[in-house]
Amino acid sequence: MNHEVLAIRHVHFEDLGSLELVLGERGRPVRYLDVGVARIEAPNPVGASLMVVLGGPISATDDTFYPTLVPLLAMIEKRIAAGLPTLGICLGAQLIARALGARVYPAAQAELGWTPLTLTDAGRASPLRHLDGASTSMLHWHGDTFDLPTNATRLASTPACENQAFAWGDHVLGLQCHPEIRTDRFEPWLIGNASELAGRRIDACRLRADTAQFGPTLEAAARRMFGEWLDQVDTKS
């Protein structure tokens, strides 16, 4: 296995964000596989030191419309079975949940904007302690949710979404929320999702202002969380 990190990216502005800075500091190169540009089956799913499946505006169950989902699920299943570090963010977390046999489905209400996380006891005992709502808010941008996979441990919730974060074993972490957001790179999110914001009657100016207010604190907290998680999985892998 090499030291490379494989990041599966669905839309260009939903990248590793602040988490990539942590990897850079550790000398860990990131290779992005852009879905729809590169062949999804091309990389060896067990060849990288870490695989991250990033977010995107499609549903994790839209196999008929988006044929990249099935091979991506197969990649995730192979990573998990091999006991290798795997991280999912938003759509990525939903795909990990689905790969573990859990149901993914439309949430009772979309969650789009800033809301603090409420951590479970397990969450407070994990690297997610840095993301506790008492110290930082959190960005959310999703319309789907999922059941907690069998043998998974819930780490965090919000009033609108019970399963915001979960761990499965020592090597898998799913984050429905977006701790990776960078304040200075948020404008493409607003532009790329302009139709959704208008359709949901969400004020882009307010969302921009909230991100300017809460983003810097979250960036620092997310970097601490991710660094601690990397230390844990690197020790056990």
Side-chain angles (χ1 to χ4, degrees), residues 107-111 114-119 133 137-138 140 142 145 156-164:
Q109 64 182 80
E111 192 174 26
W114 288 84
T115 303
L117 295 179
T118 299
L119 301 189
S137 193
M138 178 59 67
H140 308 273
H142 66 101
T145 189
S157 301
T158 56
C161 181
E162 185 177 30
N163 296 318
Q164 280 288 350

Side-chain angles (χ1 to χ4, degrees), residues 35-145:
V35 174
V37 177
R39 189 167 62 88
I40 195 73
E41 304 92 334
N44 176 6
V46 299
S49 62
L50 168 65
M51 186 170 86
V52 185
V53 185
L54 296 163
I58 64 175
S59 171
T61 60
D62 276 348
D63 299 352
T64 300
F65 301 113
Y66 302 102
T68 56
L69 289 172
V70 171
L72 180 51
L73 280 167
M75 291 175 66
I76 295 169
E77 289 168 356
K78 288 178 182 177
R79 286 284 305 186
I80 294 174
L84 296 173
T86 308
L87 171 64
I89 297 176
C90 198
L91 172 62
Q94 296 165 10
L95 286 166
I96 288 176
R98 184 181 171 193
L100 291 169
R103 185 172 64 106
V104 182
Y105 51 94
Q109 64 182 80
E111 192 174 26
L112 205 168
W114 288 84
T115 303
L117 295 179
T118 299
L119 301 189
T120 63
D121 289 343
R124 285 188 288 272
S126 79
L128 260 75
R129 62 191 176 86
H130 297 288
L131 304 182
D132 194 300
S135 58
T136 184
S137 193
M138 178 59 67
L139 179 68
H140 308 273
W141 204 308
H142 66 101
D144 287 352
T145 189

Side-chain angles (χ1 to χ4, degrees), residues 192-215:
N193 293 296
S195 295
E196 181 182 12
L197 294 176
R200 297 189 186 280
R201 299 175 182 260
I202 293 173
D203 185 346
C205 295
R206 174 62 184 273
L207 193 52
R208 184 186 294 111
D210 286 348
T211 302
Q213 178 182 353
F214 300 122

